[in-house]
Amino acid sequence: MELCGASALGWRRSSLNHLPPLHSSHRPTSVCDFTRFRIWCVKTDVNGSSQGNQMTVSITGATGFIGSKLVQRLYEDNHSICVLTRSKSKAESIFPAKDFPGIVIAEEAQWKDCIQGSTGVVNLAGLPISTRWSPDIKKEIKQSRIRVTSKVVDLINNSPSDVRPRVLVSATAVGYYGTSETQVFDEQSPSGKDYLAEVCREWEGTALGVDKDVRLALIRIGVVLGKDGGALAKMIPIFMMFAGGPLGSGKQWFSWIHVDDLVNLLYEALLNPSYKGVINGTAPNPVRLAEMCEHLGSVLGRPSWLPVPDLALKAVLGEGATVVLEGQRVVPARAKELGFSYKYPYIKEALKAILAQKVVA
């Protein structure tokens, strides 16, 4: 949707003062000159967010599967972006200056300068959990999240009030709830008692230390579906090897979200002051894993009858197979209350869209 305004040429200078700021490093807002009037348009997205409301956003985890797509979305809408990274070379390879002119890439020593003056901060950093777990990896899964979140919170809290970010959008996960084949979990449900629940409690607890004047949105993210990252990218080859059957028992719940919907949710949380507290980052229609595999088999044109044994998943993911073999039924009650619009509310349509995409190298 576009909202358009017009001003007589005689008022050209004062009208320009009301246009969104234009940065030399960004593509300019489209402005058209006519004989009598100067006209401009401000686009809004499907959830009603104005793209003319320019932000400066600092992002941890920006080089990851989710973060890189969020950066692209913000960049397309002409927001200023600071990538907070521990590896400048990696960030520069993902966001080359020729394709992303104007993006600031900051190593840890420069994080303070980026965060001070940012409109908002998005905290997505953490070692991926869809990998083989060992005692050392489990320790790093937790510490990587706590360490970065603590640093971000301290930098925000120590910022002078006039340059302090207004919002912190911090990732957490549906692992907070533990696992169950029978229970339904929403944002009011208590935490579970397993390892991932413990990680999420400490992760969220660290984020809750942010200054009370800063709006905090905690996004409990489900299994993120996309072809070039996340659990699905590792599941497809295994699935194909075993003739497209269910993974494990197939009775476990699979609370998923298409990566595009998650990016839109994070984007909305930055802009919309109503987005605060815990918000489940999942699609509105979780499915049992057997149903997901049936749809995946249909989309791939594979039969869906030979189960993938637990041992096959554990051989690839180790103890990390828990993420797939044990699930939880999570519903996004807050996102629904807030009127968030899902592009992919159903798993079959999400899988079709993902598998129709070319893999990004």
Side-chain angles (χ1 to χ4, degrees):
M1 185 173 100
E2 293 188 347
L3 304 175
C4 296
S7 61
L9 284 176
W11 293 97
R12 180 172 177 175
R13 179 171 298 176
S14 62
S15 296
L16 284 173
N17 290 336
H18 297 290
L19 287 172
L22 301 179
H23 305 289
S24 60
S25 61
H26 288 65
R27 297 168 298 285
T29 303
S30 176
V31 180
C32 304
D33 283 309
F34 289 84
T35 304
R36 297 288 301 171
F37 293 93
R38 189 172 187 83
I39 298 174
W40 68 91
C41 297
V42 177
K43 294 182 179 179
T44 62
D45 67 15
V46 293
N47 287 297
S49 298
S50 171
Q51 297 175 4
N53 184 13
Q54 301 300 303
M55 299 182 290
T56 299
V57 184
S58 291
I59 307 173
T60 71
T63 59
F65 171 47
I66 300 164
S68 60
K69 294 186 184 302
L70 177 62
V71 168
Q72 290 171 20
R73 169 72 195 278
L74 289 165
Y75 186 78
E76 287 168 1
D77 287 352
N78 291 319
H79 298 292
S80 298
I81 302 156
C82 186
V83 171
L84 306 180
T85 182
R86 291 198 296 167
S87 174
K88 189 171 184 178
S89 60
K90 179 180 179 181
E92 287 175 340
S93 69
I94 294 173
F95 307 113
K98 65 181 178 63
D99 297 327
F100 295 91
I103 284 184
V104 176
I105 295 176
E107 293 187 296
E108 284 197 66
Q110 290 81 46
W111 287 18
K112 176 182 175 181
D113 294 333
C114 276
I115 286 176
Q116 291 188 2
S118 287
T119 313
V121 178
V122 181
N123 177 37
L124 299 171
L127 188 73
I129 62 171
S130 55
T131 186
R132 285 189 63 83
W133 291 0
S134 65
D136 287 344
I137 290 294
K138 287 176 71 174
K139 182 178 179 181
E140 183 60 18
I141 284 172
K142 180 191 288 189
Q143 289 305 314
S144 63
R145 287 160 171 78
I146 306 303
R147 181 174 59 246
V148 174
T149 303
S150 179
K151 183 177 181 70
V152 166
V153 166
D154 287 346
L155 289 173
I156 292 173
N157 290 350
N158 292 328
S159 297
S161 59
D162 59 330
V163 292
R164 184 178 295 150
R166 298 195 297 266
V167 56
L168 169 61
V169 180
S170 197
T172 172
V174 296
Y176 174 92
Y177 302 112
T179 62
S180 173
E181 289 186 5
T182 58
Q183 288 181 268
V184 179
F185 302 100
D186 64 15
E187 289 86 352
Q188 301 302 316
S189 300
S191 181
K193 298 179 181 179
D194 59 14
Y195 163 71
L196 286 179
E198 176 188 322
V199 170
C200 292
R201 284 195 303 273
E202 294 191 31
W203 195 6
E204 293 183 16
T206 304
L208 285 165
V210 76
D211 189 280
K212 299 307 177 186
D213 290 334
V214 177
R215 178 169 59 87
L216 173 63
L218 289 166
I219 312 298
R220 287 184 186 151
I221 300 172
V223 180
V224 185
L225 301 183
K227 195 168 187 178
D228 51 330
L232 186 62
K234 293 186 177 181
M235 289 164 62
I236 288 175
I238 303 172
F239 188 87
M240 296 291 284
M241 285 171 56
F242 287 89
L247 306 174
S249 72
K251 295 179 181 178
Q252 64 273 45
W253 283 96
F254 190 73
S255 294
W256 60 279
I257 186 168
H258 190 290
V259 65
D260 289 353
D261 279 328
L262 179 57
V263 166
N264 288 340
L265 185 67
L266 294 168
Y267 189 102
E268 190 70 13
L270 279 167
L271 282 171
N272 192 327
S274 298
Y275 282 61
K276 54 189 173 183
V278 175
I279 302 170
N280 286 335
T282 60
N285 297 291
V287 294
R288 291 194 186 271
L289 200 55
E291 182 181 345
M292 191 281 289
C293 290
E294 183 179 345
H295 288 309
L296 184 56
S298 174
V299 172
L300 289 170
R302 303 283 295 184
S304 183
W305 57 272
L306 182 61
V308 178
D310 293 7
L311 287 176
L313 278 173
K314 289 178 179 177
V316 175
L317 298 177
E319 193 181 347
T322 301
V323 179
V324 175
L325 295 174
E326 299 176 23
Q328 58 280 107
R329 185 181 183 182
V330 178
V331 294
R334 280 291 292 138
K336 288 182 178 179
E337 289 172 6
L338 291 162
F340 180 76
S341 177
Y342 288 87
K343 186 176 180 181
Y344 302 104
Y346 296 100
I347 189 93
K348 189 168 185 178
E349 286 68 27
L351 292 172
K352 283 181 179 178
I354 289 165
L355 295 170
Q357 296 171 347
K358 292 181 178 179
V359 177
V360 177

